[in-house]
């Protein structure tokens, strides 16, 4: 995308002394609910009020939003609080209605980003407008699909663009609702440093107790802003109750978060060092997670060997693994000596896990008491 610097102009126009903050309820429920939350967020660091009026739900029967009536409530929010407004659009009809009600910012959700046909339909409907459009990452970790959506919008003449990182779906059980896969937004930053990047810790977390730490990490990684779901009575919210926080909690978070103040020389030594260290922390966490999964498999192998009275150490298998890993490591610029040290340690830990399983199985019932 040519002239990507102009994409940052809309963010620069806010002239904020802190990262951009978008906040509001997951869903607009009633006019009273929307206005009450908006007034509680007024005169804080929140610049944009968010509320979903169309809610794509995984299964039918769940609350799917109040529909177009919610756009009138957002108009009233802007009138009474002067906060800018934003909502999710998923098709041409949504876009037309949002434009008709002069919603300031539109965002495209993860379930829509995954469908190039729908993104193109939205791009065509937005052709010729000056609206700010934020594109969430697709539900699957596909950087090309994410950037492809951005390119479709840009080709349609939509120049005020930004990206929202909300995590990715996974079958694995983790502490997150959607795994962050931080390396993907980091790669986007490297390719297109002038495209504003916003983090949605609410959807990554899926639970309110993780929102602060995720927000801090996003700021450490030089994200341009945060989108956080906030509800005056989150436990009784009509959708995504577990991941919403009160406006009072949000205000406290904004005070406690260490926000970098942009300077003329943003990419100085200290800024870059902190960002790179944050990247290393993420990779280290991923390494621990992968090693944990490997040991879980080692435990199952130990059980299988015990059940079939097979020796724990299989020299041929070990030599095969070591040879393959050395070959792959050398191809990636890692030394043979380093790979040998790492995999000998991993192999020994796997053996220890398997021995523990076998020893437990060999104990008599009396010994186990």
């Amino acid at each position: 995308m040519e002239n990507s610097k102009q994409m940052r102009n809309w963010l620069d126009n806010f002239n904020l002394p802190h990262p951009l903050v978008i906040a509001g309820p997951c869903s607009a429920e009633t006019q009273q609910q929307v206005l009450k939350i908006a007034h509680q967020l007024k005169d804080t660091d929140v610049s944009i009020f968010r509320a979903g009026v169309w809610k794509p739900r995984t299964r039918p029967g769940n609350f799917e939003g109040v529909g177009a009536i919610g756009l009138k409530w957002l108009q009233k929010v802007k009138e009474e609080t002067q906060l800018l407004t934003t909502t999710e659009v998923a098709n041409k009809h949504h876009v037309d209605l949002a434009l008709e009600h002069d919603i300031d910012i539109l965002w495209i959700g993860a379930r829509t980003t995954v469908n190039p046909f729908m993104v193109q339909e939205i791009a065509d409907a937005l052709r010729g407008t000056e609206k700010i459009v934020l594109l969430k990452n697709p539900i699957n970790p596909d950087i090309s699909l994410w950037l492809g959506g951005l390119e479709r919008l840009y080709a349609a003449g939509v120049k005020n663009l930004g990206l929202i990182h909300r995590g990715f779906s996974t079958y694995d059980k983790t502490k997150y609702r959607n795994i962050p896969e931080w390396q993907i937004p980091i790669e986007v930053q490297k390719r297109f440093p002038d495209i504003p990047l916003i983090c949605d810790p609410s959807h990554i977390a899926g639970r309110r107790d993780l929102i602060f730490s995720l927000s801090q990490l996003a700021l450490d990684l030089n994200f341009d802003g945060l989108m956080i779901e906030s509800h005056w009575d989150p436990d009784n919210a009509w959708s995504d109750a577990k991941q919403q926080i009160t406006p009072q909690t949000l205000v406290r978070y904004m005070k406690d978060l260490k926000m970098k103040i942009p300077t003329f020389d943003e990419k100085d030594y200290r800024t870059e060092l902190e960002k790179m260290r944050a990247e290393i922390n993420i990779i280290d966490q991923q390494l621990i997670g992968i090693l944990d999964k490997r040991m879980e498999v080692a435990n199952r192998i130990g059980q299988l060997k015990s059940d079939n009275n097979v020796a724990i150490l299989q020299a041929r298998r070990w030599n095969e693994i070591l040879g393959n890993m050395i070959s792959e490591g050398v191809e990636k610029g890692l030394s043979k000596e380093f790979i040998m040290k790492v995999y000998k340690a991993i192999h020994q830990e796997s053996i220890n896990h398997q021995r523990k399983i076998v020893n437990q199985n060999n104990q008599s019932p009396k010994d186990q008491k």
Side-chain angles (χ1 to χ4, degrees), residues 316-359:
R316 179 182 295 180
R317 169 62 178 164
W318 161 237
N319 290 331
E320 179 184 338
I321 291 175
L322 187 60
N324 290 338
M325 293 303 99
I326 289 174
S327 177
E328 290 193 24
V330 170
E331 285 184 8
K332 296 183 183 299
L334 302 173
S335 70
K336 177 180 177 181
E337 292 75 14
F338 173 72
I339 295 296
M340 288 184 67
K341 288 180 181 178
V342 169
Y343 269 87
K344 282 183 178 179
I346 291 175
H347 183 248
Q348 185 58 56
E349 184 68 11
S350 296
I351 292 297
N352 293 343
H353 275 246
Q354 292 182 36
R355 280 179 178 155
K356 184 176 180 181
I357 294 293
V358 171
N359 289 339

Side-chain angles (χ1 to χ4, degrees), residues 5 21 23 75 81 86 102 122 162 176 226 240 291 356:
K5 284 188 177 180
V21 180
Q75 284 182 310
T81 69
T86 182
D102 196 28
I122 292 171
Y176 301 116
L226 302 168
D240 290 347
L291 289 172
K356 184 176 180 181

Side-chain angles (χ1 to χ4, degrees), residues 1 5 29 47 76 130 138 160 200 203 213 287 322 330-331 348 362:
M1 286 170 286
K5 284 188 177 180
E29 300 167 1
S47 300
K76 203 162 185 63
E130 296 296 324
N160 294 321
D200 177 351
H203 277 88
S213 59
L287 281 173
L322 187 60
V330 170
E331 285 184 8
Q348 185 58 56
N362 288 339

Side-chain angles (χ1 to χ4, degrees), residues 29-84:
E29 300 167 1
T30 65
Q31 178 174 295
Q32 180 186 19
Q33 171 244 16
V34 168
L35 290 175
K36 181 172 183 176
I37 297 170
H39 278 281
Q40 289 180 344
L41 294 174
K42 181 184 176 183
D43 300 325
T44 68
D45 285 338
V46 174
S47 300
I48 303 167
F49 182 82
R50 60 145 290 152
V53 300
W54 299 286
K55 300 300 298 181
R57 312 312 296 175
T58 302
R59 302 180 69 179
N62 294 324
F63 175 62
E64 296 184 340
V66 296
I69 186 69
L71 299 175
K72 296 185 182 298
W73 305 342
L74 289 177
Q75 284 182 310
K76 203 162 185 63
V77 164
K78 186 174 181 179
E79 176 186 333
E80 293 188 8
T81 69
Q82 285 70 59
L83 288 169
L84 297 182

Side-chain angles (χ1 to χ4, degrees), residues 100-319:
E100 179 184 327
H101 289 80
D102 196 28
I103 302 302
D104 298 290
I105 299 168
L106 310 180
W107 87 76
I108 301 173
R111 289 179 173 87
T112 306
T113 304
V114 80
N115 186 337
F117 294 108
M118 296 309 300
V119 175
Q120 188 63 56
E121 177 181 310
I122 292 171
D124 292 339
L126 286 166
R127 194 178 296 274
T129 72
E130 296 296 324
K131 293 293 183 183
I132 298 170
V133 181
L134 306 177
L135 184 71
K136 285 195 173 186
N137 60 257
I139 56 176
N140 53 310
D142 186 339
I143 191 171
S144 296
L145 192 59
W146 196 7
L147 295 179
L150 196 71
E151 290 164 351
R152 288 177 184 277
L153 292 162
Y154 187 82
V158 182
K159 297 298 189 291
N160 294 321
L161 292 168
L163 297 171
I164 301 176
H165 173 228
R166 49 80 78 194
F168 303 89
S169 297
T170 176
Y171 286 113
D172 294 335
K173 290 184 178 180
T174 74
K175 64 180 181 179
Y176 301 116
R177 177 181 178 184
N178 295 291
I179 54 174
E181 297 287 7
W182 292 103
Q183 71 276 11
I184 293 179
I186 288 171
E187 179 61 27
V188 170
Q189 281 183 321
K190 291 177 180 177
R191 294 192 197 182
F192 301 102
D194 295 309
I195 297 178
L197 182 60
I198 295 167
C199 181
D200 177 351
S202 302
H203 277 88
I204 293 174
R207 39 188 267 209
R208 60 181 65 99
D209 62 305
L210 297 175
I211 290 174
F212 180 86
S213 59
L214 285 167
S215 298
Q216 186 61 66
L217 181 52
L219 296 179
D220 292 343
L221 290 170
N222 209 28
F223 275 63
D224 296 288
L226 302 168
M227 176 185 272
I228 299 177
E229 293 185 345
S230 181
H231 194 293
W232 72 273
D233 184 16
D235 288 332
N236 292 303
W238 295 4
S239 60
D240 290 347
K242 294 181 180 180
Q243 66 190 41
Q244 300 191 64
I245 60 176
T246 64
Q248 292 77 17
T249 299
L250 178 61
V251 169
R252 187 176 75 250
Y253 282 3
M254 294 304 101
K255 292 180 180 178
D256 293 342
L257 286 169
K258 297 178 182 178
M259 297 185 176
K260 289 195 309 163
I261 299 176
T263 62
F264 177 76
D265 186 17
E266 181 66 28
K267 292 189 176 181
D268 58 11
Y269 165 79
R270 180 59 58 184
T271 298
E272 285 301 296
L273 181 61
E274 290 176 356
K275 182 178 177 181
M276 291 176 186
R277 284 174 172 171
E279 289 184 38
I280 284 180
N281 290 343
I282 290 167
I283 294 170
D284 285 343
Q285 290 172 2
Q286 292 172 337
L287 281 173
I288 293 298
I290 291 170
L291 289 172
D292 178 59
K293 289 181 180 179
R294 195 186 194 283
M295 295 308 154
E296 287 179 1
V297 177
N299 288 338
R300 298 204 304 269
I301 291 174
Q303 184 63 54
L304 184 64
K305 288 178 178 178
S306 177
D307 292 344
N308 291 273
N309 198 29
V310 174
I312 293 176
L313 181 60
Q314 300 288 316
R316 179 182 295 180
R317 169 62 178 164
W318 161 237
N319 290 331

